Amino acid sequence: MADRKLPAPQANIETEAYWKAAGEGKLLVKHCTACGQAHHYPRALCPFCFSDKTEWKQCSGKGTLYSYSVMRRAPVPYAIAYVTLAEGPTMLTNMTDCDFDKLKIGQPVKVVFKPSEGGPPLPMFTSA
Ligand SMILES: [Zn+2]
């Protein structure tokens, strides 16, 4: 299978640490010390209680496939997916390096990092 060209993500002050960790092969989520909930995508304020007492935590990189959609008409077919991380948050991502015909909702998945063009690698998921 050909590799799809991936545009570099745009880092900002809220996501700088996230992308730096991605460059080291680590997946981070924000954890709120006020209400105890983890969230994704990273934000300065907790989306549940609006506290600014949030901290980064490294994820196990394990999760389950919540839903997915295979884009078969693209020049290089790809699969957009929602993955629920073992730590709780659900993230919008892509499935990669696996047979899209064999994907199943609820299956275990694990993170892999795919290079982007001129930016940090992007977290995607594959069958675990
Ligand atoms: Zn909170």
Side-chain angles (χ1 to χ4, degrees), residues 6 9 18-25 112-116 119-124:
L6 304 168
Y18 176 83
W19 291 117
K20 186 168 179 290
E24 296 162 359
V112 288
F113 287 88
K114 304 299 280 184
S116 70
L122 299 166
M124 294 189 177

Side-chain angles (χ1 to χ4, degrees), residues 32-37 46-51 54:
C32 174
T33 57
C35 73
Q37 297 222 58
C46 170
F48 303 106
C49 72
F50 305 107
S51 168
T54 60

Side-chain angles (χ1 to χ4, degrees), residues 15-28 56 58 113 120-121:
T15 59
E16 205 181 330
Y18 176 83
W19 291 117
K20 186 168 179 290
E24 296 162 359
K26 295 174 191 162
L27 180 63
L28 301 184
W56 294 103
Q58 189 180 341
F113 287 88

